[in-house]
C-alpha cells in the first residue's frame, strides 16, 4: 500500500509542478500578485509529495518488496542495508526520481529564501524551475515509473550491479545530482532575467550563490567518482576520460566560468550577455550528461541505462529548454548593454581570459566525447578518442589558467599597472621556479611534467597567500595585519582556498602521472620481488566469504629496508546472484605515496598474476578537491551571499528591454 501512495504522490507532484509553472509566469506577465504568490506553496507541496514518493521507494528496497519490478532488478535479501538503500538510486528509474526530488528542493529553497527578490523575478524563476520539473516528472511517470508492480513476484531479487556496491558509489550520485540539478537554478535565473529584459548587479549577486552551491556539489561528486575509479576498478588510475566522466566534468568547467563572470556582472555590470549564455550552457551540459548516461549512445563503464526511447525523450527535453532559452537570448541580447568600461590590463580582462580558457577547455572535452558518435553517424566509421587526445588538447588550457589566476586575483578593477600588480608576486614566482628546479633535480632530469606541475602548484598556493597578505598590509604592524586577515570576508578566504586547492590537485596529478611505477608479474607464494625500492611478497591466497559474495583473498607483505611496511589483502570477488566478478585493490595510503596491489587469476605454471603500483602523491589529487570544496563552503557562508538582494536599493540600476 505504501508504494501505491508513493505512485499517487508522484502524480500529485506533477500537478503541483504544473501549477508552479503556469500560475507565477502568467501572474508575473499580468501583474497579478495572488497568482505570483501561488508559486511558493506549489513549490513546497511538490517537494513534500516527491520526498514522500522517494521515501516509499526506499521502504520498498529496505523491506525487499519484490513485487516492485525495480526492487527485483536491483536488490537482494542478502545485500547489506547500506546498499539496499543506495540501490534506490543505483538504477535509471530511482536516480531519475532523485533528480526530480533535488529539482523540487532547489525550487522550494528559492521560494523560502528568495524573499528579497523582486516579486516578478522570483515568480519567473520559480515558474521556469517548475517547467523543468514538469518535463522530468513527465519523463519519470510515463517512461520510467519506479513503482511498476510484477504480477508474479519472485522469491528474491537479481541484486545490484556489484561495481555499485561500494561506499564511494553510495554517495557519489547524490552529490553529483546536487551539482547537475543545481545548475537548473542558474538556468532559471537566466531565463527569468531574459523574460524581464533586465540584468543588473543585483541579478549577478543573486545568481552566484546558486551557481556556487552547484559547483561545490559537483566538485565533491566528481572527486568521489574519481576516488572510486581509482580503488575499485583495479586499474590504478584516477581519470580515464570516459564519456560519463566527461559528462560531469563539462558542466563543472562551465560553472567555474559562470562563477567568475557573475562577479564581473555584480561588480562592474559588464559581461551580461556572456554570463547569461554561460548560465544557459551550464544546465545544457547537465542535460547532455543525462542523455549520455541514460541513452546508451556512448559506451561507458559508468552508464546504467541503455534505452534509445528514453534517449529520444531526453533529447526532446534538451532541445525544448536549450532551444527556447537560446531563442529568447537571441531576442533579448541587444537590451543587455554593458555599463562598465575597463582597460586592457584590469581584473575584468583577467576574468575574461579565465572564462575563455574554461569555456574552450569544456568545448575540447565535448568534441572529444561526441566525436565517435558523429563519425559513426556521418561516415559510418568506428572511432575511439582516448586519453592521448584529451591530455594533449586539454592540458595547455589548464596550464594557462593556472598561470593567470594569481595575477588576475591581484589586479584592481577598471585599470591596473602591471608593474605594481607583479611587485608582490616576483618573489612568489622565483620561489615557485626554484621549487620546480628542485623537483627536476630530485628526479634526476627526465620528463618535465612533474617539475612543471610543482611550479604551477607553488605559484597558485603561494600566490593565493600573497594576495591575502598584500590586501591586509598596513603600517600598524603584523598584529594589525593578522586582525585584518581574520576579518576578511569569507568569500575572499574562499577564493584563496579554492585556488590553493586547485594547485594541490595539479601537483598530485603531475606527480602521480610522472612518477608512478607499475609492475605486472606472476608471483609465487614465498618468493619476494623488488618494485621501486620496496620488497613485495605474496604470502598466502585463500577463499573468503562476504555477505553476498565469495572472494579469493591474497595476503601480500610489503617491506623496505628490512622492515614490513604494510600487509595488504587484495581480493577478486564473485557475486553469484549478479554472476559478475569484481577486482578489489588493496592500498596502503600515505601523504607522499600509495602502495597499490591487485591480485589476478591463477596461472598454469603455478603462482598468481599480481599487479603492483607505487603511486607518489596520489592522495593529493583528492585532498586538493576537498580543499577546493572547502573554499566553496567558505564563500557560500559569506553573509553577502545570504543577503544577496541587499544590493537592491534605491540606487539600483537596471537595463530595461528595448
Amino acid at each position: 500500500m505504501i508504494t501505491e501512495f508513493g505512485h499517487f504522490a508522484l502524480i500529485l507532484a506533477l500537478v503541483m509542478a504544473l501549477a508552479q509553472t503556469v500560475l507565477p509566469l502568467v501572474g508575473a506577465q499580468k501583474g497579478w500578485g495572488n497568482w505570483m504568490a501561488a508559486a511558493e506553496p506549489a513549490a513546497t507541496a511538490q517537494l513534500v509529495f516527491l520526498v514522500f514518493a522517494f521515501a516509499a521507494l526506499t521502504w520498498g528496497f529496505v523491506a525487499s518488496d519484490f513485487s516492485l519490478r525495480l526492487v527485483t532488478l536491483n536488490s537482494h535479501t542478502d545485500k547489506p542495508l547500506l546498499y539496499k538503500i543506495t540501490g534506490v538510486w543505483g538504477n535509471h528509474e530511482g536516480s531519475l526520481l532523485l533528480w526530480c526530488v533535488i529539482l523540487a528542493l532547489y525550487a522550494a529553497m528559492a521560494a523560502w529564501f528568495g524573499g528579497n527578490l523582486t516579486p516578478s523575478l522570483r515568480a519567473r524563476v520559480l515558474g521556469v524551475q517548475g517547467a523543468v520539473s514538469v518535463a522530468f516528472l513527465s519523463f519519470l511517470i510515463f517512461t520510467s515509473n519506479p513503482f511498476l508492480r510484477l504480477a508474479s513476484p519472485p522469491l528474491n531479487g537479481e541484486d545490484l550491479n556489484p561495481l555499485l556496491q561500494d561506499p564511494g558509489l553510495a554517495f557519489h550520485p547524490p552529490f553529483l545530482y546536487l551539482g547537475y540539478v543545481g545548475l537548473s537554478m542558474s538556468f532559471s535565473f537566466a531565463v527569468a532575467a531574459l523574460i524581464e529584459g533586465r540584468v543588473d548587479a543585483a541579478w549577478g549577486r543573486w545568481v552566484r550563490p546558486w551557481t556556487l552551491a552547484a559547483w561545490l556539489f559537483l566538485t565533491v561528486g566528481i572527486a568521489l567518482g574519481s576516488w572510486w575509479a581509482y580503488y575499485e576498478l583495479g586499474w590504478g588510475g584516477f581519470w580515464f576520460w570516459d564519456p560519463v566522466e566527461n559528462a560531469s566534468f563539462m558542466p563543472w568547467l562551465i560553472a567555474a566560468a559562470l562563477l567568475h563572470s557573475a562577479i564581473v556582472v555584480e561588480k562592474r555590470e559588464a559581461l551580461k550577455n556572456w554570463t547569461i549564455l554561460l548560465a544557459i550552457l551550464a544546465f545544457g551540459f547537465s542535460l547532455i550528461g543525462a542523455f549520455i548516461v541514460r541513452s546508451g549512445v556512448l559506451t561507458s563503464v559508468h552508464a546504467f541505462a541503455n534505452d534509445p526511447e528514453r534517449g529520444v525523450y531526453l533529447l526532446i527535453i534538451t532541445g525544448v529548454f536549450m532551444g527556447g532559452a537560446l531563442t529568447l537570448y537571441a531576442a533579448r541580447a541587444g537590451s543587455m548593454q554593458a555599463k562598465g568600461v575597463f582597460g586592457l590590463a584590469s581584473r575584468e580582462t583577467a576574468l575574461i581570459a579565465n572564462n575563455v580558457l574554461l569555456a574552450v577547455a569544456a568545448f575540447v572535452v565535448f568534441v572529444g566525447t561526441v566525436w565517435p558518435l558523429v563519425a559513426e553517424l556521418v561516415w559510418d566509421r568506428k572511432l575511439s578518442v582516448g586519453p592521448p587526445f584529451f591530455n594533449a588538447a586539454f592540458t595547455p588550457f589548464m596550464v594557462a589558467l593556472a598561470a593567470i589566476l594569481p595575477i588576475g586575483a591581484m589586479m584592481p578593477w577598471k585599470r591596473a599597472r602591471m608593474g605594481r600588480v607583479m611587485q608582490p608576486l616576483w618573489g612568489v614566482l622565483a620561489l615557485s621556479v626554484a621549487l620546480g628546479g628542485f623537483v627536476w633535480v630530485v628526479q634526476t632530469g627526465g620528463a618535465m611534467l612533474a617539475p612543471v606541475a610543482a611550479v604551477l602548484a607553488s605559484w597558485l598556493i603561494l600566490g593565493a597567500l600573497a594576495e591575502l597578505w598584500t590586501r591586509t598590509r598596513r603600517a600598524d604592524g603584523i598584529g594589525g595585519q593578522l586582525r585584518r586577515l581574520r576579518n576578511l570576508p569569507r568569500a575572499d578566504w574562499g577564493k584563496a582556498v579554492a585556488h590553493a586547492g586547485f594547485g594541490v590537485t595539479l601537483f598530485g596529478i603531475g606527480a602521480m602521472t610522472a612518477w608512478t611505477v607499475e609492475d605486472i608479474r606472476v608471483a609465487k607464494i614465498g618468493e619476494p620481488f623488488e618494485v621501486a625500492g620496496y620488497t613485495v611478497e605474496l604470502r598466502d591466497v585463500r577463499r573468503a566469504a562476504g555477505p553476498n559474495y565469495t572472494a579469493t583473498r591474497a595476503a601480500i607483505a610489503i617491506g623496505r629496508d628490512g622492515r614490513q611496511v604494510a600487509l595488504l589483502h587484495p581480493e577478486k570477488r564473485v557475486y553469484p546472484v549478479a554472476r559478475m566478478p569484481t577486482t578489489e585493490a588493496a592500498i596502503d595510503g600515505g601523504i607522499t605515496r600509495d602502495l597499490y596491489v591487485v591480485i589476478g587469476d591463477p596461472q598454469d605454471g603455478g603462482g598468481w598474476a599480481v599487479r603492483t603500483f607505487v603511486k607518489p602523491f596520489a592522495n593529493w589529487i583528492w585532498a586538493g578537491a576537498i580543499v577546493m570544496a572547502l573554499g566553496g563552503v567558505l564563500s557560500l557562508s559569506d553573509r553577502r551571499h545570504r543577503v544577496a538582494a541587499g544590493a537592491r536599493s534605491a540606487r539600483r540600476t537596471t537595463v530595461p528591454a528595448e
Side-chain angles (χ1 to χ4, degrees):
M1 183 61 73
I2 292 178
T3 53
E4 273 68 34
F5 282 132
H7 191 183
F8 187 55
L10 268 187
I11 297 171
L12 290 177
L14 177 59
V15 172
M16 289 298 101
L18 284 167
Q20 180 187 329
T21 302
V22 175
L23 294 179
L25 288 177
V26 173
Q29 185 65 29
K30 299 289 188 180
W32 297 341
N34 290 340
W35 283 46
M36 288 190 284
E40 181 177 346
T44 302
Q46 183 195 166
L47 176 63
V48 170
F49 288 134
L50 280 171
V51 167
F52 181 84
F54 191 82
L57 185 62
T58 303
W59 172 254
F61 272 83
V62 171
S64 295
D65 181 1
F66 296 117
S67 67
L68 277 174
R69 178 178 176 274
L70 196 65
V71 177
T72 299
L73 294 176
N74 296 278
S75 192
H76 191 274
T77 52
D78 291 338
K79 192 167 65 173
L81 178 60
L82 172 64
Y83 303 131
K84 287 184 178 181
I85 295 173
T86 59
V88 176
W89 55 79
N91 55 82
H92 167 71
E93 293 84 354
S95 66
L96 189 58
L97 176 56
L98 176 62
W99 181 292
C100 292
V101 171
I102 295 172
L103 266 176
L105 175 63
Y106 275 106
M109 291 179 65
W112 299 337
F113 305 114
N116 287 326
L117 295 169
T118 59
S120 61
L121 181 62
R122 182 187 186 199
R124 287 182 168 119
V125 167
L126 291 174
V128 175
Q129 190 75 2
V132 178
S133 289
V134 168
F136 278 94
L137 282 169
S138 301
F139 181 32
L140 178 66
I141 293 171
F142 297 119
T143 73
S144 312
N145 191 343
F147 293 106
L148 291 179
R149 292 282 196 178
L150 293 175
S152 301
L155 293 176
N156 219 324
E158 298 179 12
D159 208 359
L160 179 67
N161 184 336
L163 288 175
L164 304 181
Q165 297 185 39
D166 179 87
L169 258 288
F171 302 104
H172 164 64
F175 277 104
L176 209 58
Y177 285 8
L178 283 166
Y180 267 147
V181 181
L183 291 173
S184 66
M185 284 304 301
S186 304
F187 175 84
S188 297
F189 267 94
V191 174
L194 288 172
I195 295 173
E196 289 208 349
R198 179 166 51 205
V199 178
D200 56 13
W203 180 89
R205 186 170 295 180
W206 286 326
V207 80
R208 276 181 62 200
W210 298 103
T211 307
L212 182 58
W215 178 86
L216 162 63
F217 288 124
L218 264 178
T219 302
V220 175
I222 291 171
L224 283 172
S226 171
W227 180 54
W228 167 81
Y230 173 67
Y231 71 80
E232 176 65 24
L233 297 181
W235 302 343
F238 64 95
W239 194 261
F240 305 98
W241 295 109
D242 178 271
V244 175
E245 289 178 331
N246 296 346
S248 62
F249 193 42
M250 289 183 289
W252 185 87
L253 291 168
I254 297 295
L258 175 57
L259 276 176
H260 291 86
S261 65
I263 297 173
V264 183
V265 176
E266 177 189 347
K267 302 293 186 183
R268 301 286 300 135
E269 293 209 37
L271 300 187
K272 294 178 183 179
N273 286 345
W274 175 248
T275 304
I276 290 287
L277 181 61
L278 284 177
I280 295 171
L281 291 178
F283 185 55
F285 275 113
S286 294
L287 295 177
I288 291 170
F291 171 75
I292 289 173
V293 173
R294 299 170 193 277
S295 65
V297 297
L298 293 172
T299 303
S300 167
V301 70
H302 303 78
F304 52 72
N306 187 354
D307 190 335
E309 181 184 349
R310 291 169 177 169
V312 170
Y313 199 106
L314 281 168
L315 272 182
I316 293 172
I317 291 176
T318 304
V320 168
F321 283 100
M322 293 301 295
L326 291 174
T327 301
L328 185 58
Y329 173 79
R332 293 288 197 183
S335 67
M336 293 180 290
Q337 299 173 0
K339 289 188 173 182
V341 178
F342 51 89
L344 183 61
S346 64
R347 181 172 294 190
E348 291 92 331
T349 300
L351 288 170
I352 290 172
N354 164 292
N355 270 226
V356 169
L357 290 169
L358 287 168
V360 174
F363 180 72
V364 167
V365 176
F366 174 73
V367 170
T369 303
V370 302
W371 188 250
L373 177 61
V374 173
E376 185 173 357
L377 289 175
V378 177
W379 297 291
D380 195 26
R381 294 178 59 190
K382 294 281 188 181
L383 294 179
S384 177
V385 179
F389 165 80
F390 289 106
N391 292 337
F394 178 82
T395 303
F397 297 105
M398 292 299 101
V399 171
L401 179 66
I404 68 170
L405 276 178
I407 300 173
M410 296 286 284
M411 282 184 169
W413 296 102
K414 297 174 66 174
R415 193 174 293 104
R417 293 191 305 184
M418 290 305 298
R420 187 171 182 179
V421 169
M422 287 298 300
Q423 186 175 356
L425 290 175
W426 287 121
V428 170
L429 180 60
L431 183 56
S432 300
V433 172
L435 286 171
F438 173 75
V439 169
W440 187 77
V441 170
V442 167
Q443 72 172 19
T444 63
M448 291 298 295
L449 178 60
V452 169
V455 171
L456 293 175
S458 305
W459 173 244
L460 283 165
I461 296 168
L462 298 175
L465 294 175
E467 190 227 340
L468 293 176
W469 193 251
T470 302
R471 285 192 56 190
T472 55
R473 188 171 57 194
R474 298 291 187 274
D476 54 349
I478 297 295
Q481 188 165 7
L482 292 175
R483 284 193 299 273
R484 282 187 296 275
L485 277 171
R486 187 174 62 248
N487 294 328
L488 275 178
R490 291 184 184 177
D492 294 342
W493 276 104
K495 176 184 70 174
V497 170
H499 288 181
F502 181 43
V504 172
T505 293
L506 279 183
F507 179 70
I509 291 172
M512 180 175 162
T513 304
W515 296 334
T516 290
V517 176
E518 178 181 4
D519 179 271
I520 305 174
R521 69 174 65 211
V522 175
K524 295 185 178 181
I525 294 176
E527 296 184 5
F529 55 92
E530 296 291 320
V531 179
Y534 291 93
T535 302
V536 183
E537 180 184 353
L538 177 63
R539 290 188 174 176
D540 184 32
V541 180
R542 64 180 61 187
R543 303 286 291 176
N548 60 335
Y549 62 84
T550 60
T552 300
R553 177 181 294 172
I556 298 178
I558 298 182
R560 188 164 195 172
D561 298 331
R563 63 182 183 86
Q564 182 171 298
V565 175
L567 182 62
L568 302 178
H569 298 281
E571 296 182 355
K572 196 171 184 66
R573 294 179 180 176
V574 175
Y575 290 77
V577 176
R579 296 182 295 278
M580 181 176 175
T582 66
T583 299
E584 303 292 322
I587 304 172
D588 178 54
I591 295 176
T592 59
R593 58 96 184 108
D594 276 2
L595 301 174
Y596 185 113
V597 294
V598 179
I599 186 71
D601 297 322
Q603 304 300 301
D604 292 337
W608 295 76
V610 173
R611 176 177 289 184
T612 308
F613 297 91
V614 179
K615 294 190 165 291
F617 298 97
N619 287 320
W620 286 46
I621 298 172
W622 301 288
I626 292 171
V627 173
M628 280 191 279
L630 177 60
V633 171
L634 286 172
S635 294
L636 201 59
S637 67
D638 194 313
R639 183 177 179 274
R640 292 179 299 178
H641 290 322
R642 298 197 300 274
V643 293
R648 178 164 52 90
S649 62
R651 62 178 294 273
R652 189 183 74 181
T653 57
T654 60
V655 180
E658 293 179 351

